[in-house]
Amino acid sequence: MNRPLEGLLILEFCQFLAGPSAGLKLADLGARVIKIERPKTGDACRSLSIKNLFVDEDSLLFHTINRNKESYTADLKNPEDLERLKKLISKADVMTHNFRPGVMEKIGLDYQNVQNINPKIVYGVVTGYGTEGPWKNKPGQDLLVQSVSGLTFLSGVDVDGPVPFGLSVSDIMCGNHLAQGIMAALIKRAKTNKSVLVEVSLLESILDVQFEVLTTYLNDGGKLPDRSGAKGSAHAYLSAPYGMYETSDGYIAMAMGNLPNICAIINCDITDLYVEAGSAFENRDKLIVRLAETFKKENTKHWLDLLESHGIWCAEVLNYQTATAMNTYKSLQIEQELDLADGKKIKTTVSPIRLDNQKLFASKAAPKLGFGTAEINKEFELN
């Protein structure tokens, strides 16, 4: 299939996760993404492993973020390499970087100078906390950004203290925002025939992710999120029955719904706790405990069959092992295999976007360091 971004050349001066994850999404949509990496070591993510898993000398984490790209090595402090990069920039549609403020200015690859090289470039910048202000040089690392954004006081129960997400949610969302901004900028460029600057930060991205609860905080007299003290509670601003409950053989998740109606269906007496609608939040912890006592009496299937037959929103709580074995999971075709050297393959996820009913499969694995340098020099006449 013809992908919408085919013919688009993107230069990625990014490492780790946020910027490269944007490049991943754009590559899945058809763009040609060339990673600009330092000689010998490359993107630091090549050596940053999860559970010490490596594939072909690079971390499995690097492979998950950099499929479908090419690798070009250049020393940004070397004048000859820098001149070659400027020639390459003159032919590109987009360039992205996640250097700290001031780094690109020192080598003449900041937005103002790049505009002189390529007046139609879309220039994307990822920072931790913005390009100005007292935190502009603070390390932009996912856990640190989660920590200063208020996010860690939304999960868990009230006695837990801060609870971080179990994935790099700040990086991932920032990458989504960068990809979104770049595509918007490309549309603007098509209308104006001029360059566009796109800026995103990890902190702004993770604050935006919290728009639902931040809006509540800002309009509720500045009251802090009120995490429940009851096991299974799931949202600091939502009342019972919202949460997860243990059954006799597993767990069931309950979404929002009419609490008296649900309790009538499952035969749970709450008349002493629920007097009017406000009681659902006022007595949230006691109600959650009362519901939990009821759900433990039967298995998950019993409750699902009963509740779903009455149109109640609920679901079984699955782990990776059970979730990936589901027919629904398989029908989504969310997995794909990447082709490595010597006939090796690794499994990863595929873009969740479908275009004209087709999945955006891409079997090209992450590039080996610098393997595209010679061919790119020749193709673009950089020497």
Side-chain angles (χ1 to χ4, degrees):
M1 66 178 292
N2 292 325
R3 304 193 182 200
L5 299 186
E6 285 182 7
L8 198 74
L9 177 60
I10 298 176
L11 305 181
E12 181 181 282
F13 291 77
C14 296
Q15 58 181 348
F16 293 117
L17 208 160
S21 71
L24 168 70
K25 297 176 190 310
L26 297 170
D28 281 340
L29 290 167
R32 181 181 182 184
V33 179
I34 300 175
K35 286 186 69 67
I36 310 301
E37 301 188 77
R38 69 189 70 180
K40 297 182 180 179
T41 57
D43 181 343
C45 190
R46 288 182 180 272
S47 59
L48 180 65
S49 65
I50 293 179
K51 293 191 68 176
N52 201 32
L53 293 175
F54 282 83
V55 179
D56 282 355
E57 299 180 354
D58 292 316
S59 73
L60 184 62
L61 177 62
F62 178 82
H63 279 278
T64 66
I65 306 165
N66 292 286
R67 66 170 183 264
N68 228 15
K69 301 179 185 179
E70 301 168 54
S71 174
Y72 182 92
T73 51
D75 181 353
L76 299 183
K77 296 180 180 179
N78 182 307
E80 292 181 357
D81 283 4
L82 203 53
E83 280 305 307
R84 277 190 283 268
L85 283 175
K86 289 178 179 178
K87 290 180 182 178
L88 190 55
I89 288 170
S90 72
K91 302 174 188 295
D93 296 286
V94 179
M95 71 173 282
T96 62
H97 79 80
N98 64 348
F99 291 108
R100 291 187 186 184
V103 172
M104 289 303 238
E105 284 79 1
K106 288 181 181 179
I107 60 175
L109 293 184
D110 56 292
Y111 179 52
Q112 297 301 324
N113 281 304
V114 166
Q115 279 182 298
N116 295 328
I117 300 170
N118 184 340
K120 297 180 182 179
I121 196 85
V122 170
Y123 190 97
V125 182
V126 181
T127 62
Y129 307 90
T131 57
E132 299 178 353
W135 283 6
K136 67 179 183 179
N137 291 314
K138 190 178 178 70
Q141 194 277 333
D142 184 86
L143 180 61
L144 305 184
V145 174
Q146 287 191 44
S147 299
V148 300
S149 71
L151 180 72
T152 60
F153 283 97
L154 293 178
S155 299
V157 296
D158 57 3
V159 296
D160 282 341
V163 179
F165 264 60
L167 53 84
S168 301
V169 63
S170 306
D171 284 327
I172 293 166
M173 291 309 304
C174 190
N176 287 341
H177 289 147
L178 179 60
Q180 179 181 341
I182 286 171
M183 287 187 280
L186 289 168
I187 295 172
K188 181 178 180 181
R189 186 187 70 173
K191 295 176 180 178
T192 65
N193 212 28
K194 295 180 181 179
S195 65
V196 184
L197 173 64
V198 179
E199 297 175 285
V200 294
S201 74
L202 298 181
L203 181 56
E204 288 169 290
S205 285
I206 202 60
L207 289 171
D208 177 73
V209 168
Q210 300 174 76
F211 73 92
E212 171 193 11
V213 290
L214 268 174
T215 301
T216 303
Y217 168 78
L218 294 171
N219 292 277
D220 188 34
K223 296 177 183 176
L224 290 174
D226 183 16
R227 291 186 295 176
S228 170
K231 179 182 177 182
S233 58
H235 197 298
Y237 285 105
L238 291 180
S239 58
Y242 200 86
M244 293 183 178
Y245 301 90
E246 187 176 358
T247 67
S248 65
D249 65 348
Y251 294 88
I252 188 171
M254 298 294 299
M256 295 171 287
N258 183 288
L259 183 59
N261 183 37
I262 290 171
C263 287
I265 293 169
I266 66 174
N267 194 27
C268 176
D269 183 10
I270 58 169
T271 53
D272 59 322
L273 299 174
Y274 189 93
V275 180
E276 43 82 32
S279 304
F281 199 89
E282 181 182 344
N283 292 327
R284 179 182 58 181
D285 289 11
K286 294 178 180 179
L287 286 164
I288 290 174
V289 170
R290 184 74 56 85
L291 288 165
E293 292 170 352
T294 300
F295 280 119
K296 282 183 180 180
K297 297 177 181 178
E298 300 286 352
N299 63 38
T300 304
K301 185 179 184 306
H302 169 85
W303 294 122
L304 287 175
D305 290 345
L306 177 61
L307 291 165
E308 289 179 342
S309 69
H310 287 82
I312 304 300
W313 293 1
C314 57
E316 183 178 6
V317 181
L318 307 176
N319 58 28
Y320 282 159
Q321 188 175 50
T322 50
T324 57
M326 296 281 289
N327 289 330
T328 298
Y329 176 90
K330 294 174 182 177
S331 69
L332 292 174
Q333 297 180 292
I334 199 66
E335 290 183 7
Q336 64 181 348
E337 288 188 332
L338 305 181
D339 297 324
L340 305 176
D342 303 323
K344 297 178 183 176
K345 294 180 182 292
I346 59 172
K347 285 186 177 182
T348 187
T349 56
V350 66
S351 170
I353 299 170
R354 283 182 171 81
L355 294 177
D356 295 329
N357 298 316
Q358 293 189 50
K359 294 282 289 187
L360 301 176
F361 290 105
S363 61
K364 184 178 178 182
K368 291 190 175 181
L369 179 62
F371 267 44
T373 305
E375 291 184 6
I376 291 168
N377 281 336
K378 183 178 179 180
E379 177 185 355
F380 292 98
E381 300 178 347
L382 303 182
N383 289 322

